[in-house]
Structure formats: C-alpha cells, structure tokens
C-alpha cells in the first residue's frame, strides 16, 4: 500500500506483520467498530494524519472482528488507539480525541527522528507527566491496578493505603512505556511504585512504610470518601440512572449503544454515568450491586439490570411502567 494511506488488519497475522517495522518507526492502530459514529470520524482524522506523516504506519482494526487481538491488548471500548515501535506498545489513547491523537502521533514520530523533535517530545512528555501526577490529590504509579497488582511492592503499597483509608487514584505504568521511563527521570526516582500527594513525590514503598511506622501517613495522605456513600449518591442522582461505557451522545461499546437506543425510544428522562472515566466507580459498583457487567440501569436507587433484562422488559411491555416507578 502506498505511503500516506491507512492499512487494514483483518486478522491477528496481518496485525503482527504490520507491527514488524525494523527501523523503529511508529505504527498507530485504531481499534474501531462500524456501528460507532465516533469511530468513523476518527478514521477520517487518521486518514488526514496519514497524509501528513508519511513515515508513520496507520492501521485500522475492527475490534469485534479480531477479538483475540482486542482481548490481548485490553480493548474494552471504541475508539481506542495503540502506538507501537519495534512491535512494543509505547502509548495508548482511549476515546475520540482528535487533537490528542494528533499530538501523540507528532510526539512519537518526532522522537523517532530529529534531536530537535526529541527536545520537543521531552517537553510534551514533562507536561503530560505533570498532568498525570496532579490528576488526583493522591496518585499512585504502580505495576498493575489496585485490584490486580502485578508486583509484590505495588501489592504491599495498595494494602497499606487501603488499610489507612487513603483516597487515591492509580496509573498502571505497564500500560505506557513512555510514562514508565519518563517519570523515573522527571522525579529522579528510579523504581516503582511511586506515591504523589498534591503533585509532590512522597516516595516509594520504603518511605511509605516509614511514614506508617512513625504515625505520619494519616497526616500526609487524604482520607477516602466512603465509596459506598459515593455510589449511593450516584445511583440516586436522578430517578433513572444508567451506568455505561461512554455517554448518551457517544456510546463506547455495543451493549451500551443498544441500551441507549431502547431508552431513547421510551421518551423517559434519564441520566448517565461514564464508568470509563472513573475506575473506582467502575469496580466498586460491580461489588455494591453484585452485578458484574455494564451497562447497569437503576430506577429510584434500585438496580433493574443490564441489557438483557431491559430487552426482556421492553418485549413484555413492562419497561415503561418500571422506568416510571409504577412497578
């Protein structure tokens, strides 16, 4: 295929072949779905970027058509973009953010070429790291997630923070090699996990253990708002609440898209919460309601169910009375 055009990966084999660029050049893969209008828009954005960045390989991969690749790379919604160099993932972008996609392509393409580009990329990376460090009052950069730590030190850190009721957000450094390496230099701290409070580095596991032993940890770290209270407030935010991937305007998975179509046809007012924007709510609500998947529909604070239940209620003619609280 000619330079400046977007390639298509229709199988896991094609995907692997397209990643194997020996020169270390950038490969950008768009995991998309034909039913999502935002994916069509981002395909147009990608086609324009392909003409601008001839040295970059742009690839479209239909997420649901090649599930083994999507599952391997943790694709749970569309659009999602993965960035590769030498067959290794170096970055990721979830959602239809054209300016951010353009910025990331520019940065990674530049870091493959000129030294001037490298300086510019370093400045961009530092701005990104600063934003991540300040993303929450207390930020933990770790291997894995609080639910599934992927090293012993990260596991111990999470256990200590949870034991003290600390409210923290986390970033999985395995998901982004650029952040993983860049943060070591930015903070002059060579190992993980790393804990930040109000944008300032507190330290790693040993420091946190010392703070715990001296009784200072509770003073340093912000206390958690009770998650259960937070979930109750969210569930009762509106008479009809839908927890989904994406929003009314932009569903980011097929199940969420289907339930939105059903809800819109009822004419009943409802509000939505995007679980992709808040990992704590996403995981916590599964336990709170004992319902393992999304979307989840609530009426007057009570769980109705997911897509299958809503479809059954629609077919039996019971959906409208349920939504109006008549049942």
């Amino acid at each position: 295929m000619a330079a400046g055009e977007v390639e298509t990966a229709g199988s896991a084999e094609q995907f692997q072949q397209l990643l194997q660029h020996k020169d270390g050049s950038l490969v950008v893969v768009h995991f998309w779905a034909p039913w999502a209008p935002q994916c069509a828009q981002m395909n147009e954005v990608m086609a324009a970027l392909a003409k601008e960045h001839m040295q970059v390989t742009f690839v479209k991969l239909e997420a649901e058509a090649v599930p083994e690749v999507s599952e391997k790379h943790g694709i749970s919604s569309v659009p999602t973009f993965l960035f590769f160099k030498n067959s290794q993932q170096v970055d990721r972008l979830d959602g239809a953010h054209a300016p951010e996609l353009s910025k990331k392509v520019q940065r990674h393409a530049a870091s493959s070429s000129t030294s001037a580009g490298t300086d510019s990329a370093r400045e961009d990376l530092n701005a990104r790291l600063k934003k991540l460090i300040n993303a929450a009052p207390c930020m933990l950069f770790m291997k894995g997630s609080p639910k599934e730590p992927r090293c012993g030190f990260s596991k111990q850190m999470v256990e200590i923070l949870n034991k003290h009721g600390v409210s923290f957000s986390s970033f999985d450094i395995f998901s982004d090699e650029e952040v993983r390496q860049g943060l070591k230099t930015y903070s002059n701290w060579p190992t993980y996990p790393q804990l930040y409070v109000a944008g300032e580095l507190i330290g790693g596991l040993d420091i946190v253990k010392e703070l715990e032993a001296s009784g200072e940890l509770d003073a340093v770290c912000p206390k958690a708002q009770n998650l259960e209270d937070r979930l109750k407030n969210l569930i009762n935010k509106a008479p009809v609440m839908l927890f989904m991937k994406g929003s009314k305007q932009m569903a980011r998975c097929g199940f969420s898209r289907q339930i939105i179509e059903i809800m819109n046809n009822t004419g009943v007012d409802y509000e939505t919460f995007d679980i992709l924007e808040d990992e704590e709510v996403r995981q916590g609500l599964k336990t709170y309601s004992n319902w393992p998947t999304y979307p989840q529909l609530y009426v007057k604070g009570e769980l109705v169910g997911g897509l299958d239940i809503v479809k059954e209620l629609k077919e039996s003619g019971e959906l409208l009375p349920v939504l109006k609280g008549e049942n």
Side-chain angles (χ1 to χ4, degrees), residues 110-122:
S111 70
S112 301
S113 51
T114 66
S115 60
T118 304
D119 291 340
S120 160
R122 194 176 295 118

Side-chain angles (χ1 to χ4, degrees), residues 160-266:
I160 291 170
L161 295 178
N162 285 340
K163 185 169 79 179
H164 286 263
V166 174
S167 171
F168 69 97
S169 293
S170 67
F171 184 92
D172 179 3
I173 54 141
F174 280 145
S175 72
D176 193 318
E177 189 62 24
E178 189 181 43
V179 168
R180 181 182 184 177
Q181 300 304 332
L183 197 57
K184 292 179 187 177
T185 309
Y186 181 90
S187 295
N188 194 24
W189 194 270
T191 58
Y192 289 98
Q194 294 181 16
L195 185 69
Y196 293 77
V197 172
E200 296 293 324
L201 175 67
I202 301 300
L205 179 62
D206 289 342
I207 302 282
V208 169
K209 280 182 172 177
E210 286 170 21
L211 288 170
E212 184 186 33
S214 68
E216 296 172 80
L217 185 64
D218 290 331
V220 169
C221 295
K223 284 290 178 189
Q225 178 196 6
N226 185 301
L227 177 60
E228 192 168 319
D229 289 344
R230 190 172 170 227
L231 294 174
K232 271 183 193 167
N233 288 338
L234 280 172
I235 288 165
N236 288 283
K237 188 180 170 192
V240 182
M241 274 297 294
L242 178 64
F243 292 80
M244 62 178 288
K245 292 180 179 178
S247 63
K248 286 184 194 181
Q249 294 75 26
M250 203 178 280
R252 288 181 59 198
C253 82
F255 300 130
S256 291
R257 178 183 60 88
Q258 288 180 60
I259 205 166
I260 284 285
E261 286 174 0
I262 293 169
M263 294 296 292
N264 287 345
N265 285 333
T266 65

Side-chain angles (χ1 to χ4, degrees), residues 3-4 21 23-28 49-58 105-106 108-114:
H21 282 253
D23 57 357
S25 62
L26 181 65
V27 181
V28 181
L49 287 171
K51 290 181 169 62
E52 277 178 48
H53 300 274
M54 297 292 200
Q55 77 282 21
V56 177
T57 303
F58 291 88
V105 168
Q106 208 161 359
H108 289 296
S111 70
S112 301
S113 51
T114 66

Side-chain angles (χ1 to χ4, degrees), residues 18 28 65 92 100 102 111 118 124 129 134 146 163 167 222 228 257 284 288 299 326:
L18 288 164
V28 181
R92 177 183 182 117
E100 188 66 17
S102 178
S111 70
T118 304
D124 282 350
L129 293 173
N134 287 280
K163 185 169 79 179
S167 171
E228 192 168 319
R257 178 183 60 88
Y288 179 87
V299 174
E326 294 168 7

